[in-house]
């Protein structure tokens, strides 16, 4: 074993055994080697790389504190060599193609301005990694994960969540004492179920003695070694630096010299590095400082120019620095450890450091270095108001946004604004900064978009800024500010920009559902019920709002659906809208129980990923989750809604009407799953809103239903009256079901006649609209209140052919219970058995338990909850099975649905079992049957 590795591999048998076990598994996990600086994490990672070399492809990267804003810098280190390999060129094809943007080759999958956005890039990088791992398992080794640039870190988190069953092993080191670039993402990675923590500890006294003898000779006394242990705390790097200093000073390892050990003490790294530097020629010190400023993999000519030393002398000096164990002896150029680099870098006075960064930026610019390298230096340089600086940073920001690195784009554009830029460029920079920020965080974007709106003169750009600002403000605690921005901007739009005016008009109508504006103004949308005879996204937005408003008022289902389809036709709204008005149109299809809603979610989700907007993705997760909930796939719906809840917080929706949606929908879902206590805790945290809002009404309805289930009569009725007060939706298919909720609360209070009257009113409204799910639900509740077997049977019949599986299960349970109470136990068993099976398929544990109890009461003893055939498939399983039956491979299905191959395998395995088949060839016939 080389002497330089002894200190970090002594007493590491347990850690190496864990890494060996993970390597033997061939992937599917993330090994996170955590600990304080100098504990030996890097050497363990190096050992893992060596041990993997024979059986796995290995990609290596090392993050740097100075390069945290270098977009996808770590990803590029990992993959650029593989991208350049002609034999692996096909790895960037298909679903992996958007990843080309990371490596500087922008393809055709861009946004409206030619860019490729982050979620598309993440998905592309995921599939690029999988393609690389097809030949043999892949090891991704990342040193100093805590300093990873945010886009790369987001990729690691994205990949970590999808590692199950994938032949990829991620091995990363993380300094436990550093908060890192993004603490939330680092925590997500650390707490992922597939992450295995490896915690190397400090060396024992015996271990230190072994290292001391290896470095200073076998005659080293235990008393001397004990002093070394006390001085360094058993930290391998501190110990190694201490021994280098002692060896250089000719200190013999005997007890009498223990006081010399204590003199150096725990400051061994900075102290010994600076002592060693002081012994070297002045120009060698300048070279070390230049490398510290330029960062990892600095080019030798640039180092020479910054240090103002001849290139040949630089080459010789790097050898001297390697022998002094300051720089690595092997390429690329860099320090042996980040702590060594820190000692050199932080010895420079702050002013001198900033000037060196400014000089480095100029040198890199003059040598035609890539923009990102220059921009990374400018982030640490002093502000001087130089036009070229703001221009280059803006260029770097635009490039980062095109690559899908929104966080890096924000850093560069924000620095460009601070430079400051020339006065004429400030407005456009603020707009670009606000647009980039809106992709990842609502709060920061608002101020910059507002500033841009004040300065911009071009009418089209002003309209764009106003539209984006108004949209963000609707999600705040004061949505009326968003309405006012849209209203004022619409009045200023010149006649030659009609589509911009339509966008702002649509935004004003949307504001109503966030609690701003006057509900009576929705009547203005009636003029668009026949469609908008114009081109452009604004026209489609108005059609979407008209369809949504018409549906809520209970208009004819076919007319409402037709208008929604018109808004979505051609894909312009899906491509151009940030999943805002798209959802309005899509909800019309969802609440009308239309089958085309689910395939459309695939298109909307793909567009959201291409756009790279966290808001778009969280919107898809909320409303796709809501759709799955309505269709009876509660397991997958809960997964989607929990993701949306986390994304809400990440984007900055912590209060106001925007935050209420996910609380209300998720709270209702948890109640249906029988998790009443969890639903109560969640709803208690929902935003408190004044007046009617769409999201707030979701919360109110969920609270009424929960209190009814909890058998709290007075509280349920009080909540129902509040729900009625804030209700403004006539259609019981979405929002208007407050009537039956109030009816259930009234019945709980012994006021059954009033309850029946309300339920009958809702049944008539549901029939008027014509959605099977709403009709069946209303009939089921009315039949339960009246104990009317005819109504209950009608509810079952209406729901049986519909997509509303959960409501069908509830109607069956209600029918079976009513028949049992009519003292016909044998007749009750079949609907109760079907209810139990269907509730189990849906994941509605609470309903399943009630149906099971009712079955026991009939004298039956159900042995299985299993349902067979197509009806047993969840919507997600059915979607995968249909694609597979149509000839799609597992890989293509996973790519198209933005899931992992493992998820597809699980869905297909479940489908085979439920359909009673054994192979893919049998799927078409089984699905047709």
């Amino acid at each position: 074993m080389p002497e330089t590795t002894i200190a970090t591999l002594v007493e590491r048998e347990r850690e190496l055994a864990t890494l060996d076990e993970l390597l033997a598994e061939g992937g599917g996990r993330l090994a996170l080697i955590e600990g304080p600086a100098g504990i030996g994490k890097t050497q363990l990672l190096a050992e893992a790389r060596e041990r993997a070399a024979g059986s796995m492809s290995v990609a290596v990267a090392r993050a740097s504190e100075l390069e945290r804003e270098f977009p996808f810098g770590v990803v590029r280190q990992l993959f650029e060599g593989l991208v350049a390999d002609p034999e692996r060129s096909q790895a960037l094809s298909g679903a992996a193609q958007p990843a080309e943007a990371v490596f500087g080759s922008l393809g055709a999958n861009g946004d409206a301005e030619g860019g490729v956005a982050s979620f598309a890039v993440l998905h592309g990088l995921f599939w690029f990694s999988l393609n690389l791992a097809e030949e043999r398992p892949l090891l991704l080794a990342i040193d100093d994960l805590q300093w990873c640039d945010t886009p790369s870190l987001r990729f690691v988190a994205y990949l970590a969540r999808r590692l199950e069953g994938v032949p990829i092993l991620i091995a990363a080191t993380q300094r436990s004492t550093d908060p890192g670039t993004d603490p939330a993402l680092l925590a997500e990675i650390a707490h992922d179920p597939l992450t295995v923590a490896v915690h190397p500890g400090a060396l024992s006294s015996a271990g230190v003695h072994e290292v001391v003898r290896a470095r200073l000779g076998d005659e080293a006394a235990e008393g001397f070694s004990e002093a070394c242990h006390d001085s360094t705390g058993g930290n391998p790097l501190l110990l190694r630096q201490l021994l280098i200093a002692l060896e250089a000073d000719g200190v013999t390892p005997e007890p009498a010299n223990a006081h010399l050990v204590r003199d150096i003490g725990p400051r061994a790294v900075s102290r010994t590095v600076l002592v060693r530097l002081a012994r070297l020629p002045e120009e060698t010190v300048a070279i070390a400082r230049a490398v510290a400023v330029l960062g990892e993999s600095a080019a030798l000519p640039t180092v020479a120019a910054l240090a103002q030393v001849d290139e040949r002398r630089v080459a010789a000096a790097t050898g001297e620095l390697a022998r002094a164990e300051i720089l690595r002896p092997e390429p690329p150029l860099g320090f042996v450890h980040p702590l060594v680099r820190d000692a050199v870098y932080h010895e420079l006075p702050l002013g001198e450091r900033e000037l060196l960064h400014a000089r480095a930026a100029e040198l890199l610019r003059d040598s035609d270095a890539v923009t990102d390298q220059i921009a990374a230096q400018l982030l640490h340089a002093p502000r001087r108001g130089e036009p070229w600086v703001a221009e280059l940073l803006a260029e770097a920001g635009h490039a980062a946004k095109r690559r899908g690195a929104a966080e890096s784009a924000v850093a560069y554009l924000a620095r460009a604004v601070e430079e400051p830029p020339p006065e004429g460029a400030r407005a456009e920079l603020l707009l670009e900064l606000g647009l980039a920020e809106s992709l990842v965080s609502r709060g920061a974007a608002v101020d910059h978009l507002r500033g841009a709106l004040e300065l911009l003169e071009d009418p089209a750009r002003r309209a764009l800024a106003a539209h984006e600002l108004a949209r963000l403000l609707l999600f705040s605690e004061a949505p009326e500010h968003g309405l006012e921005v849209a209203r004022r901007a619409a009045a200023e739009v010149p006649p030659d920009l009609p589509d911009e005016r339509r966008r702002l008009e649509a935004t004003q109508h949307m504001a109503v559902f966030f609690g701003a504006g006057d509900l009576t103004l929705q009547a203005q949308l009636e003029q668009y019920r026949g469609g908008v005879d114009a081109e452009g996204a604004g026209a489609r937005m108005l059609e979407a709002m008209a369809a949504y408003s018409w549906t809520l008022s209970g208009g004819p289902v076919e007319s409402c659906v037709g208008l929604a389809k018109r808004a979505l036709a051609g894909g312009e709204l899906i491509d151009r809208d940030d999943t805002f008005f798209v959802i309005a149109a899509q909800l019309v299809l969802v609440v009308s129980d239309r089958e085309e809603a689910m395939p459309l979610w695939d298109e909307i989700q793909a567009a959201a990923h291409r756009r790279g907007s966290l808001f778009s993705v969280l919107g898809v997760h909320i409303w796709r989750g809501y759709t799955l909930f309505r269709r009876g796939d509660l397991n997958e719906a809960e997964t989607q809604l929990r993701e949306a809840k986390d994304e809400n917080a990440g984007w900055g929706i912590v209060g106001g009407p925007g935050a209420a949606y996910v609380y209300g929908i998720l709270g209702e879902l948890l109640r249906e799953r029988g998790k009443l206590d969890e639903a109560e805790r969640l709803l208690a945290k929902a935003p408190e809103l004044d007046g009617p809002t769409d999201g707030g009404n979701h919360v109110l309805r969920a609270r009424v239903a929960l209190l009814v289930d909890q058998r709290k009569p007075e509280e349920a009725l009080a909540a129902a009256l509040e729900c009625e007060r804030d209700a403004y939706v006539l259609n019981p298919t979405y929002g208007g079901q407050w009537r039956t909720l109030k009816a259930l609360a009234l019945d709980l209070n012994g006021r059954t006649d009033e309850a029946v009257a309300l339920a009958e009113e809702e049944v008539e409204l549901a029939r008027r609209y014509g959605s099977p799910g709403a009709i069946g639900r209303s009939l089921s509740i009315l039949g339960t209140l009246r104990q009317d077997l005819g109504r209950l049977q009608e509810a079952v019949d209406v729901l049986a052919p519909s997509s509303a599986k959960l409501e069908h299960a509830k109607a069956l349970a209600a029918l079976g219970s009513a028949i049992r109470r009519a003292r016909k136990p044998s007749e009750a068993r079949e609907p109760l058995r079907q209810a139990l099976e269907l509730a189990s398929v849906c994941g509605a544990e609470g309903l399943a338990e009630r149906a099971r109890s009712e079955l026991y009461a009939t004298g039956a003893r159900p042995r299985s909850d299993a349902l067979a055939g197509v009806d047993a498939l969840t919507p997600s399983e059915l979607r995968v099975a249909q694609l597979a039956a149509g000839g799609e491979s597992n890989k293509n299905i996973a790519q198209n649905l933005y899931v992992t191959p493992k998820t597809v395998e699980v869905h297909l395995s479940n489908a085979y079992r439920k359909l009673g088949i054994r192979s893919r060839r049998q799927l078409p016939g089984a699905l047709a049957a």
Side-chain angles (χ1 to χ4, degrees):
M1 182 186 300
E3 178 277 322
T4 54
T5 67
I6 291 173
T8 46
L9 287 182
V10 168
E11 299 183 337
R12 293 293 181 255
E13 293 80 10
R14 176 177 53 84
E15 292 83 358
L16 290 170
T18 300
L19 292 172
D20 283 339
E21 184 178 335
L22 295 174
L23 290 168
E25 291 177 5
R29 304 301 286 268
L30 188 152
L32 188 61
I33 308 169
E34 294 181 280
I39 205 68
K41 305 182 295 296
T42 297
Q43 192 57 46
L44 282 171
L45 185 65
E47 277 295 308
R49 288 163 44 194
E50 266 190 48
R51 297 179 184 211
S55 59
M56 305 179 78
S57 299
V58 180
V60 181
R62 182 179 184 180
S64 167
E65 189 173 13
L66 273 182
E67 297 173 353
R68 296 189 198 204
E69 303 302 342
F70 198 99
F72 285 112
V74 165
V75 166
R76 290 195 230 181
Q77 284 187 58
L78 285 171
F79 294 131
E80 272 184 329
L82 298 172
V83 169
D85 184 350
E87 294 184 4
R88 292 186 167 97
S89 60
Q90 290 302 309
L92 272 173
S93 61
Q97 189 175 2
E100 288 183 353
V102 172
F103 310 107
S105 176
L106 295 176
N109 297 322
D111 59 21
E113 296 180 5
V116 178
S118 59
F119 289 97
V121 170
L122 292 178
H123 190 62
L125 286 169
F126 169 69
W127 280 102
F128 176 55
S129 303
L130 259 62
N131 292 342
L132 291 174
E134 279 188 344
E135 294 181 13
R136 63 176 186 166
L138 177 65
L139 171 65
L140 303 179
I142 306 170
D143 204 5
D144 286 322
L145 187 69
Q146 76 279 353
W147 290 333
C148 192
D149 62 278
T150 302
S152 293
L153 194 59
R154 199 174 295 285
F155 164 66
V156 174
Y158 188 90
L159 180 57
R161 292 193 298 269
R162 295 160 174 78
L163 281 175
E164 186 178 3
V166 170
I168 297 174
L169 173 64
I170 304 173
T173 68
Q174 180 176 327
R175 187 183 294 184
S176 57
T177 55
D178 192 309
T181 304
D182 191 322
L185 275 176
L186 288 166
E188 180 183 329
I189 293 166
H191 295 115
D192 191 275
L194 296 176
T195 295
V196 177
V198 179
H199 294 287
L203 300 179
S204 67
S205 296
V208 168
H209 186 53
E210 182 181 343
V211 175
V212 172
R213 292 180 64 202
R215 181 89 196 203
L216 300 183
D218 290 341
E219 69 279 4
E222 289 190 12
F224 183 88
S225 296
E226 192 63 38
C228 292
H229 182 269
D230 292 344
S231 182
T232 64
N235 182 289
L237 179 68
L238 297 183
L239 176 62
R240 181 180 168 200
Q241 295 298 321
L242 172 64
L243 296 179
I244 292 171
L246 293 170
E247 185 179 39
D249 289 344
V251 176
T252 56
E254 54 191 43
N257 288 329
H259 69 282
L260 297 174
V261 172
R262 297 186 185 97
D263 286 344
I264 296 177
R267 301 184 306 280
V269 175
S270 60
R271 183 170 175 177
T272 59
V273 168
L274 296 176
V275 167
R276 275 179 277 155
L277 271 180
R279 293 171 178 163
L280 296 172
E282 185 176 338
E283 62 181 21
T284 303
V285 176
I287 291 164
R289 290 173 172 172
V291 176
V293 167
L294 287 165
E296 292 289 314
S297 307
L300 190 142
T302 311
V303 173
L306 186 60
Q308 297 181 312
V309 177
D310 179 79
E311 287 187 28
R312 286 174 295 180
R313 178 59 194 139
V314 171
T318 55
E320 293 178 58
L321 290 164
R323 286 188 291 276
E325 298 190 51
I326 293 173
L327 294 185
R328 291 192 298 264
E330 73 282 347
L333 201 57
F335 289 87
V336 294
H337 193 277
L339 286 181
V340 176
R341 179 257 170 199
D342 288 349
V344 176
Y345 183 75
H346 291 294
E347 180 66 9
L348 285 164
L350 176 60
E352 188 175 346
R353 284 205 307 266
E354 289 189 340
L355 291 174
L356 280 171
H357 281 299
R359 173 67 178 146
E362 292 173 355
L363 290 169
L364 289 167
R365 179 197 60 180
D366 294 342
S367 63
D368 293 326
V370 296
T371 304
D372 290 328
Q373 286 183 310
I374 307 168
Q377 292 294 326
L378 289 172
L379 291 177
H380 302 283
R383 279 72 171 155
R384 291 176 172 173
E386 298 185 38
W388 77 268
V389 172
E391 184 179 335
L392 187 138
L393 285 165
E395 180 185 342
H398 298 149
K401 187 179 176 185
R402 287 196 299 271
R403 289 193 175 101
E407 294 89 352
S408 298
V410 168
Y412 291 149
L413 291 168
R415 174 64 179 80
V417 169
E418 292 170 5
E419 181 56 19
E423 195 57 38
R426 183 174 180 79
E428 191 64 30
L429 263 179
L430 284 170
L431 175 58
E432 291 298 329
L433 175 57
L435 292 175
E437 286 171 328
S438 72
L439 296 176
V440 292
S441 173
R442 183 193 66 85
V446 167
D447 289 341
H448 292 123
L449 288 171
R450 188 178 276 123
L453 188 57
E454 291 175 0
L455 296 175
L456 285 165
E457 296 181 359
D458 178 81
R461 301 300 278 175
R462 281 183 58 79
L464 172 61
H467 173 75
E468 292 298 322
L469 176 59
R471 181 176 63 84
L472 298 183
L473 288 171
L474 291 185
F475 288 86
S476 69
E477 286 78 4
E480 60 274 8
H481 294 166
L483 173 62
E484 182 55 31
V485 167
R487 183 178 289 154
R488 191 184 313 120
E492 296 173 356
V493 174
D496 61 338
L497 296 174
D499 202 60
E500 280 76 0
R501 184 186 293 111
R502 293 188 191 104
R503 289 189 188 202
L504 291 163
E505 182 185 347
T507 302
Q508 293 174 65
H509 287 298
M510 179 65 83
V512 170
F513 301 104
F514 288 85
D518 187 346
L519 277 165
T520 61
L521 295 179
Q522 291 290 292
Q524 295 176 0
L525 287 168
E526 294 178 11
Q527 63 185 303
Y528 304 122
R529 288 179 178 178
V532 179
D533 189 17
E535 300 297 321
R540 307 290 79 77
M541 290 173 185
L542 279 175
E543 289 172 345
M545 288 309 305
Y548 182 63
S549 178
W550 200 4
T551 299
L552 298 190
S553 66
V557 63
E558 293 303 327
S559 299
C560 295
V561 167
L563 184 57
K565 286 183 175 180
R566 177 186 171 103
L568 293 165
E572 183 176 19
L573 187 61
I574 293 173
D575 288 337
R576 300 289 299 278
D577 175 48
D578 199 7
T579 321
F580 199 53
F581 300 100
V582 162
I583 287 173
Q586 177 72 338
L587 271 178
V588 175
L589 304 183
V590 171
V591 303
S592 303
D593 302 319
R594 294 307 171 107
E595 288 299 327
E596 56 263 52
M598 285 308 297
L600 267 171
W601 276 126
D602 298 342
E603 293 181 35
I604 295 167
Q605 181 169 265
H609 279 70
R610 285 197 305 272
R611 195 173 295 112
S613 165
L614 181 56
F615 171 75
S616 291
V617 172
L618 75 86
V620 169
H621 284 151
I622 292 173
W623 295 108
R624 189 171 186 274
Y626 174 76
T627 306
L628 290 166
F629 179 13
R630 287 183 64 103
R631 294 173 68 88
D633 191 349
L634 273 60
N635 289 304
E636 181 65 21
E638 183 174 348
T639 298
Q640 299 259 315
L641 288 165
R642 288 191 185 279
E643 284 190 34
K645 183 175 180 292
D646 292 340
E647 290 157 351
N648 256 1
W651 193 65
I653 308 178
V654 293
Y661 282 106
V662 73
Y663 282 94
I665 298 170
L666 181 55
E668 176 66 3
L669 181 141
L670 291 172
R671 182 193 69 80
E672 292 284 13
R673 300 209 67 176
K675 302 176 182 180
L676 303 190
D677 291 344
E678 188 178 355
E680 184 176 20
R681 288 193 298 272
L682 179 76
L683 291 170
K685 297 176 183 176
E688 294 295 335
L689 304 173
D690 294 326
T693 68
D694 199 25
N697 286 341
H698 273 284
V699 172
L700 291 174
R701 291 194 298 270
R703 281 179 176 156
V704 176
L706 177 63
L707 290 165
V708 168
D709 277 4
Q710 292 174 327
R711 313 297 293 177
K712 297 180 178 179
E714 294 180 2
E715 292 177 58
L717 185 54
L721 291 172
E722 184 182 3
C723 191
E724 179 182 11
R725 182 199 69 201
D726 285 349
Y728 54 81
V729 177
L730 185 68
N731 194 342
T733 194
Y734 179 77
Q737 64 267 45
W738 63 267
R739 294 174 181 81
T740 43
L741 288 173
K742 183 181 177 183
L744 292 171
L746 286 167
D747 182 60
L748 201 58
N749 282 273
R751 297 162 61 177
T752 304
D753 289 345
E754 294 174 67
V756 168
L758 263 180
E760 287 177 338
E761 181 183 339
E762 185 172 300
V763 167
E764 291 310 307
L765 289 170
R767 290 189 195 279
R768 188 183 307 169
Y769 185 70
S771 169
I775 295 171
R777 177 186 174 280
S778 301
L779 280 169
S780 179
I781 293 174
L782 176 61
T784 300
L785 292 170
R786 293 175 52 177
Q787 286 298 289
D788 184 335
L789 296 181
R791 296 283 193 180
L792 289 170
Q793 184 62 59
E794 184 185 358
V796 169
D797 294 342
V798 168
L799 290 164
S802 78
S803 61
K805 284 189 176 183
L806 178 60
E807 293 300 336
H808 185 204
K810 289 159 75 173
L812 285 164
L815 176 61
S817 297
I819 294 172
R820 183 189 68 77
R821 283 192 289 273
R823 299 185 179 182
K824 300 177 181 179
S826 57
E827 293 180 28
R829 288 171 189 163
E830 181 57 22
L832 287 171
R833 182 190 62 76
Q834 291 181 36
L836 173 59
E837 292 175 342
L838 199 50
S840 299
V841 168
C842 291
E845 289 91 344
L847 177 61
E849 189 55 40
R850 292 195 297 274
R852 187 180 289 107
S853 296
E854 287 285 334
L855 267 173
Y856 279 123
T858 68
R861 293 293 179 267
R863 290 175 293 179
S864 171
D865 300 347
L867 183 65
V870 176
D871 288 341
L873 302 180
T874 69
S876 298
E877 290 166 353
L878 179 60
R879 182 83 177 112
V880 168
Q882 289 171 334
L883 290 170
E888 295 285 353
S889 67
N890 284 14
K891 184 175 180 180
N892 284 344
I893 295 170
Q895 290 175 346
N896 293 335
L897 299 184
Y898 290 87
V899 297
T900 67
K902 180 68 174 179
T903 300
V904 174
E905 290 174 14
V906 170
H907 283 335
L908 280 178
S909 176
N910 289 340
Y912 292 166
R913 175 175 50 79
K914 293 175 180 180
L915 294 172
I917 61 176
R918 293 185 177 182
S919 72
R920 205 182 197 90
R921 292 192 303 274
Q922 296 172 283
L923 271 174
L927 291 175

